[in-house]
Amino acid sequence: MTELPSAKQFQEIAAGYDDNASASQSLRKEAYVDPAWHNVDLQEVIAKTWQWVCHVEKLREPGSYYTLEIAGLPIAVVRDREGELRAFYNVCKHRAHELLSGEGNTTRIMCPYHAWVYKLDGSLVRAPATETLENFNAKEICLDKVQVEEFCGFIYVNLDGNAPSLKEISGDLETEIKHWAPDIDTLTHAHRLTYDIKSNWKNVVDNFLECYHCPTAHKDFCDLVDMDTYKVTTHGIYSSHMADAGNGPNSAYDVSNATVKTHAVWWLWPNTCIMRYPGRSSMIILNIIPAGPDRTLETYDFFLETKEPNEAELDSIRYLDEVLQAEDIAIVESVQKGMNTPAFTQGRIVNDPEGSGMSEHAVHHFHGLVLDAYKRAAG
């Protein structure tokens, strides 16, 4: 396949999908195993959507900065001296060296290669030994800007300069999150879990978006939440997954003293999962990062009321890490292996029109958004 899909290739990858979830097949396996479609994912999905960066606490102070990669491209986000949030490609305009690394606070951006210096707004202010150059004007040089936005206590960036704002396209998501997590801005980062998974990123998203597998694969989780109250609702570029906490003892972790009694989870297109589990006030961000056709990196960031998790939170982190994640990683790695065989092409979407947790309509919703992106790429 060429760098971008042709109309014929799009028709082939979209075969079997139906707008009606009850009549639809899943996304075809080629989208999960073919390196060419992985490249389309990076260029036409990840590089053209709002990508999670960090909690606003890391970028509150003037001079604070945070670096990351989006679709393999280095990005730096900074708070300038006037308090404005800015983002740039983290690339020097002289010889393309990385400018900032990690996170921290600085009064300027200086390239560690040849000491070109930029203001926090990205404009070049010093280029050593350039006085004798012809047709060189430092004032005309500025770092390449990237869209950046603060949304519901977190920072997001979008490499597509023409993309509408996240607030504009996310409908009622902000209202929903702030209803269930009104203190999200004041939470603080307490812990991170990381995973390297042998599976395509879309398999990881698929698995997250349905609880049809929960009674079989996550028996502890089904005690933690009341599955009879589990409700999944799809909206433009997100879906919400809500359930009440279980009423009796459970084998996941202790919620007897929980102040948060609801399991409230949102998936934001394409790869950010925002979770509020029963317990003390908290927010968990699952960031699903495509790293190859059959490789996904995951980060689980826990934002709590305090920097140090309490005993119940340590137990919940242990449960997520040692039990729930272990179960899910085994699932998606097995699915990836199955997709690499001639025995599978695509499967039926199991749909409950009532939107229960036993339905895959949120997976169908995700597949529709993927195909929309593929269609735009095919022109």
Side-chain angles (χ1 to χ4, degrees):
M1 190 168 74
T2 56
E3 196 168 84
L4 291 179
S6 66
K8 181 176 182 293
Q9 287 161 334
F10 170 72
Q11 289 173 354
E12 291 171 351
I13 203 69
Y17 179 85
D18 193 291
D19 288 340
N20 175 6
S22 291
S24 185
Q25 299 272 3
S26 63
L27 191 59
R28 292 176 65 87
K29 74 171 186 180
E30 289 83 3
Y32 299 82
V33 302
D34 189 335
W37 285 112
H38 173 70
N39 291 335
V40 176
D41 284 348
L42 294 182
Q43 295 173 40
E44 302 298 319
V45 178
I46 302 302
K48 292 188 176 181
T49 52
W50 288 97
Q51 295 290 305
W52 182 80
V53 176
C54 64
H55 192 278
V56 69
E57 70 174 347
K58 288 190 180 292
L59 291 162
R60 280 201 176 108
E61 300 301 319
S64 55
Y65 67 88
Y66 189 89
T67 64
L68 72 162
E69 285 191 0
I70 304 293
L73 304 175
I75 305 297
V77 185
V78 302
R79 182 79 68 177
D80 71 16
R81 291 183 178 181
E82 287 70 43
E84 185 175 345
L85 198 61
R86 298 179 180 273
F88 313 97
Y89 283 96
N90 192 18
V91 176
C92 184
K93 301 299 286 185
H94 174 222
R95 295 272 297 282
H97 197 282
E98 180 183 64
L99 293 166
L100 296 169
S101 60
E103 59 184 277
N105 195 287
T106 186
T107 58
R108 60 182 184 171
I109 301 170
M110 187 176 79
C111 181
Y113 193 12
H114 297 100
W116 281 34
V117 178
Y118 302 84
K119 292 169 63 176
L120 297 181
D121 66 2
S123 58
L124 181 66
V125 292
R126 180 175 179 269
T130 56
E131 295 81 7
T132 60
L133 297 185
E134 297 179 11
N135 302 316
F136 179 84
N137 185 351
K139 293 181 180 179
E140 295 176 351
I141 297 175
C142 186
L143 300 178
D144 286 26
K145 295 180 181 178
V146 168
Q147 284 207 76
V148 60
E149 188 170 338
E150 185 177 327
F151 181 81
C152 287
F154 295 100
I155 307 298
Y156 294 81
V157 296
N158 194 322
L159 306 191
D160 182 359
N162 297 316
S165 75
L166 180 54
K167 187 179 181 70
E168 177 185 339
I169 62 174
S170 58
D172 294 329
L173 179 58
E174 182 176 22
T175 301
E176 281 192 38
I177 290 176
K178 290 191 172 178
H179 169 76
W180 293 104
D183 58 351
I184 191 170
D185 292 351
T186 62
L187 298 176
T188 187
H189 189 264
H191 194 73
R192 167 173 276 197
L193 298 172
T194 60
Y195 305 94
D196 193 333
I197 303 171
K198 298 181 181 69
S199 177
N200 185 273
W201 72 279
K202 295 186 294 297
N203 269 328
V204 179
V205 174
D206 287 348
N207 183 65
F208 180 87
L209 289 175
E210 51 93 351
C211 219
Y212 183 36
H213 70 284
C214 292
T216 307
H218 302 314
K219 298 187 185 303
D220 299 307
F221 179 81
C222 292
D223 290 334
L224 177 65
V225 303
D226 181 354
M227 289 300 294
D228 290 338
T229 67
Y230 206 110
K231 179 79 171 176
V232 180
T233 311
T234 61
H235 313 264
I237 63 164
Y238 76 97
S239 56
S240 58
H241 307 246
M242 302 290 178
D244 295 337
N247 295 318
N250 72 82
S251 52
Y253 63 91
D254 183 16
V255 293
S256 57
N257 295 317
T259 54
V260 173
K261 302 287 189 180
T262 304
H263 170 80
V265 172
W266 299 268
W267 166 79
L268 174 62
W269 161 257
N271 58 331
T272 304
C273 306
I274 305 162
M275 302 178 281
R276 189 169 171 90
Y277 274 35
R280 196 165 60 149
S281 182
S282 66
M283 192 63 79
I284 308 167
I285 298 289
L286 164 58
N287 196 25
I288 299 168
I289 305 164
D294 57 358
R295 185 182 179 211
T296 299
L297 303 178
E298 275 188 348
T299 56
Y300 264 83
D301 286 284
F302 294 78
F303 301 90
L304 308 176
E305 293 179 15
T306 56
K307 284 281 188 188
E308 295 297 326
N310 63 23
E311 187 174 344
E313 287 163 343
L314 286 171
D315 201 30
S316 69
I317 291 169
R318 176 207 56 78
Y319 163 69
L320 282 167
D321 183 29
E322 298 178 9
V323 180
L324 193 61
Q325 270 297 93
E327 292 167 344
D328 277 331
I329 290 171
I331 287 169
V332 297
E333 291 188 341
S334 177
V335 168
Q336 189 70 28
K337 285 183 180 178
M339 285 184 167
N340 274 291
T341 72
F344 182 83
T345 301
Q346 60 191 148
R348 279 299 293 265
I349 293 292
V350 175
N351 181 50
D352 173 8
E354 299 298 316
S356 75
M358 296 294 287
S359 177
E360 295 177 322
H361 61 286
V363 178
H364 175 262
H365 173 238
F366 169 52
H367 291 178
L369 290 171
V370 170
L371 289 173
D372 285 346
Y374 289 177
K375 185 176 183 179
R376 288 191 296 271

